[in-house]
Amino acid sequence: MIGIRGIVLFFLILSISIFSQPLRIALDEDYAPFSFYDENGNLIGISVDFWKLFSEKTGVEVELVPVKWYKAQELLTEGKVDAIDQIFKTLEREENLSFSRPVFVMNSCVFFRKALPIRDFSDLSSYVVGALKGEGVVETLRKKNPDVEFEFFDDYSSIVKALKERKISVFLGDDIVARYYLSKGDLLSEFRTLHLETNYLHVAVLKGNESILSLINSGLSRISERERNEIIRNYIPLVFVTPPWFLRVVFYGIAAFLVVFGIALTFIYLLRRKVEERTLQLKEANEELKAQNEEIEALYQEVFANQEELEKLYGEIRELNERFRESVRRMAKLVFIEDKSRFSFEMGQIVKYLLNAKKIESNSR
């Protein structure tokens, strides 16, 4: 049995033989980063690279027809192109068009200047809202607020020009595309958004051209999600988008940190000064205590020397006292001596003994 893949391949080959002429695809010429002209006048963008890959995968030659968006829809209606790219599926459009499987996801938003008091869609009644001619989500916004007044433009570049000239302050746009043009015009930081709806970019053909649609869907199925993301990353680098309140939080956080850090530095400085003063006081007290200890040590040494001197003097006095007592005893014995010469001799010995004691006293002094 022939499998589903075989049937699809057979159908694809048959379709390729039918399309000996290029598959003509109309798309917006000013829909960056999906399709736009570079400084050299070459058509580039996500959609351009996508259709090149489509042609490589299917072997079907694709001719892109870049025009104003409203004109692209007219060319399809007039049968001058086979299909239209970058189009949203709406109930109104489904009456006349058949849509392919989704190609890229897209958020539609209302952009408005931050200074405006806009909180929801009901607040838009006081403002003129800019939009592209043929924009599919205009009716979606009208359902949310029937009183909205629109001013239509040929392309996003015209919308940005009107924003710079302050002719409008609110516009309806596709998120990625609108942010691209606002960034290019240095206006992105001035705007906030109201999310309108999430939609998908499709390829569409006129009702009845189902063979063309089948060919397109078959080719779309051959392009993987990874390949689509690689194409997108070539034009939309990964960026960190901060909400409006984030910068305020960062600012106040940094301010609070600087205040706390300043207080901490002041406290550390004062504490250091206090420690230095106290250290100096302790050093001075230590030096004073050291001097007092040295003085006490010197006094102790002096007392110790005086004590030694007193003990020596006491010993001499005790020895002298012993000599006097001995002399008295010897003199008492002289009473019984009758011989004068012996008496004189003994008395001389006693005197000599005493004189020796006097000499010892004089030497100690």
Side-chain angles (χ1 to χ4, degrees):
M1 294 180 63
I2 300 176
I4 296 177
R5 292 186 179 180
I7 296 175
V8 172
L9 181 60
F10 172 77
F11 181 78
L12 180 58
I13 295 173
L14 179 62
S15 300
I16 293 173
S17 65
I18 294 174
F19 283 98
S20 56
Q21 297 297 321
L23 181 64
R24 290 170 55 82
I25 307 290
L27 74 173
D28 194 339
E29 66 179 4
D30 191 33
Y31 194 64
F34 287 87
S35 53
F36 60 103
Y37 289 102
D38 63 14
E39 60 274 9
N40 297 319
N42 299 315
L43 184 68
I44 61 173
I46 296 172
S47 296
V48 177
D49 290 355
F50 183 83
W51 284 108
K52 287 179 182 178
L53 182 60
F54 177 93
S55 184
E56 293 175 5
K57 294 282 187 178
T58 63
V60 175
E61 183 182 353
V62 175
E63 179 185 346
L64 298 180
V65 182
V67 291
K68 301 294 184 185
W69 180 238
Y70 71 91
K71 185 64 176 177
Q73 298 176 67
E74 291 178 1
L75 290 177
L76 180 63
T77 303
E78 295 169 358
K80 295 180 179 180
V81 293
D82 300 305
I84 184 172
D85 189 16
Q86 307 165 342
I87 191 168
F88 290 156
K89 181 191 292 188
T90 64
L91 294 176
E92 294 81 2
R93 287 172 174 171
E94 283 187 292
E95 294 178 0
N96 302 308
L97 304 177
S98 296
F99 291 84
S100 71
R101 62 177 62 191
V103 182
F104 295 107
V105 66
M106 182 66 68
N107 293 317
S108 296
C109 303
V110 174
F111 289 77
F112 60 93
R113 296 187 190 276
K114 292 179 178 179
L116 299 180
I118 296 176
R119 296 180 300 277
D120 52 44
F121 297 108
S122 63
D123 297 324
L124 298 176
S125 302
S126 303
Y127 306 96
V128 175
V129 178
L132 288 179
K133 292 179 181 178
E135 175 61 69
V137 292
V138 166
E139 294 305 318
T140 304
L141 181 55
R142 278 196 172 126
K143 290 176 182 178
K144 292 182 178 292
N145 186 346
D147 298 326
V148 172
E149 180 182 351
F150 288 95
E151 181 176 350
F152 294 99
F153 296 85
D154 290 343
D155 48 44
Y156 274 96
S157 297
S158 301
I159 292 177
V160 172
K161 184 174 182 293
L163 291 171
K164 284 189 171 184
E165 295 174 353
R166 298 278 177 171
K167 293 181 179 179
I168 59 171
S169 295
V170 183
F171 72 97
L172 177 61
D174 299 335
D175 186 65
I176 296 175
V177 180
R179 290 182 186 278
Y180 178 92
Y181 284 94
L182 288 175
S183 297
K184 187 177 179 180
D186 295 326
L187 295 173
L188 183 59
S189 62
E190 299 179 17
F191 283 82
R192 297 172 59 190
T193 62
L194 287 175
H195 180 264
L196 182 59
E197 69 175 3
T198 298
N199 214 321
Y200 294 91
L201 297 179
H202 295 263
V203 183
V205 299
L206 290 175
K207 287 281 189 181
N209 289 339
E210 305 307 319
S211 61
I212 297 176
L213 184 62
S214 297
L215 172 63
I216 292 172
N217 278 329
S218 177
L220 294 179
S221 66
R222 289 170 170 264
I223 300 175
S224 67
E225 190 69 24
R226 180 184 60 82
E227 290 172 320
R228 296 178 197 225
N229 291 334
E230 287 178 356
I231 294 174
I232 292 173
R233 280 194 293 268
N234 290 333
Y235 296 91
I236 307 176
L238 182 62
V239 296
F240 177 67
V241 181
T242 58
W245 51 264
F246 181 78
L247 294 179
R248 291 196 299 272
V249 171
V250 171
F251 173 78
Y252 289 122
I254 293 175
F257 171 77
L258 292 177
V259 170
V260 173
F261 184 69
I263 293 174
L265 285 180
T266 303
F267 175 77
I268 292 172
Y269 172 77
L270 294 177
L271 182 61
R272 184 175 179 181
R273 287 289 303 273
K274 193 68 177 178
V275 170
E276 290 177 351
E277 292 176 0
R278 186 58 180 163
T279 302
L280 181 61
Q281 292 174 357
L282 290 175
K283 185 177 180 181
E284 292 175 351
N286 186 55
E287 293 293 335
E288 184 177 354
L289 182 60
K290 183 178 179 181
Q292 291 177 354
N293 287 338
E294 290 177 352
E295 185 177 350
I296 292 173
E297 181 67 21
L299 183 61
Y300 172 76
Q301 294 295 335
E302 184 178 355
V303 170
F304 181 75
N306 290 337
Q307 183 178 1
E308 289 182 343
E309 186 176 352
L310 288 174
E311 289 178 354
K312 183 178 179 181
L313 182 60
Y314 175 73
E316 292 175 353
I317 292 173
R318 185 172 57 182
E319 182 181 356
L320 184 61
N321 183 51
E322 290 295 330
R323 285 179 177 271
F324 273 109
R325 289 175 63 185
E326 179 64 23
S327 297
V328 171
R329 284 195 299 271
R330 291 173 65 179
M331 289 178 66
K333 293 179 180 180
L334 294 178
V335 177
F336 301 100
I337 299 175
E338 294 179 356
D339 188 358
K340 292 182 180 181
S341 59
R342 185 182 177 188
F343 180 84
S344 297
F345 175 78
E346 291 294 336
M347 181 60 72
Q349 290 294 324
I350 292 172
V351 171
K352 185 178 179 180
Y353 181 74
L354 289 174
L355 288 175
N356 288 335
K358 186 68 173 176
K359 184 177 179 180
I360 292 172
E361 183 181 357
S362 297
N363 290 335
S364 64
R365 293 170 185 272

